[in-house]
């Protein structure tokens, strides 16, 4: 599973490089960082996604809950 998170981060980095305003890419990269326990990076991406598209503000807690105890 950890390798899948890292692969996702690599792919999402490419997507963000192509479109720096791609809110979903920041959001999903934040999920991947959270899955790896990299909470500060996850928080930064969550904040960026939320700033680009408010739809990502309300769902982040629910999605992250199974991955990180700090969201429960």
């Amino acid at each position: 599973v950890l390798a899948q998170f890292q692969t996702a981060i690599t792919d999402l980095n490419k997507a963000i490089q192509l479109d720096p305003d791609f809110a979903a890419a920041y959001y999903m990269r934040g999920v991947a960082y959270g899955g790896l326990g990299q909470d500060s990076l996850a928080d930064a991406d969550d904040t960026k996604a939320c700033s680009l598209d408010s739809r990502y503000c309300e769902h982040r807690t629910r999605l992250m809950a199974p991955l990180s105890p700090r969201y429960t």
Side-chain angles (χ1 to χ4, degrees):
V1 172
L2 296 179
Q4 291 172 327
F5 284 131
Q6 191 56 55
T7 298
I9 290 167
T10 299
D11 292 343
L12 292 162
N13 285 341
K14 292 175 188 174
I16 290 167
Q17 187 176 24
L18 292 171
D19 183 0
D21 294 326
F22 188 10
Y26 286 100
Y27 183 73
M28 293 310 299
R29 190 175 69 175
V31 171
Y33 279 135
L36 293 175
Q38 296 179 7
D39 293 340
S40 62
L41 293 172
D43 286 341
D45 277 352
D46 289 345
T47 299
K48 181 67 174 181
C50 182
S51 74
L52 291 170
D53 187 334
S54 63
R55 292 178 295 174
Y56 293 101
C57 301
E58 62 190 57
H59 299 290
R60 106 174 117 176
T61 301
R62 188 173 346 121
L63 182 60
M64 292 300 296
L67 301 176
S68 179
R70 69 193 178 98
Y71 287 97
T72 57

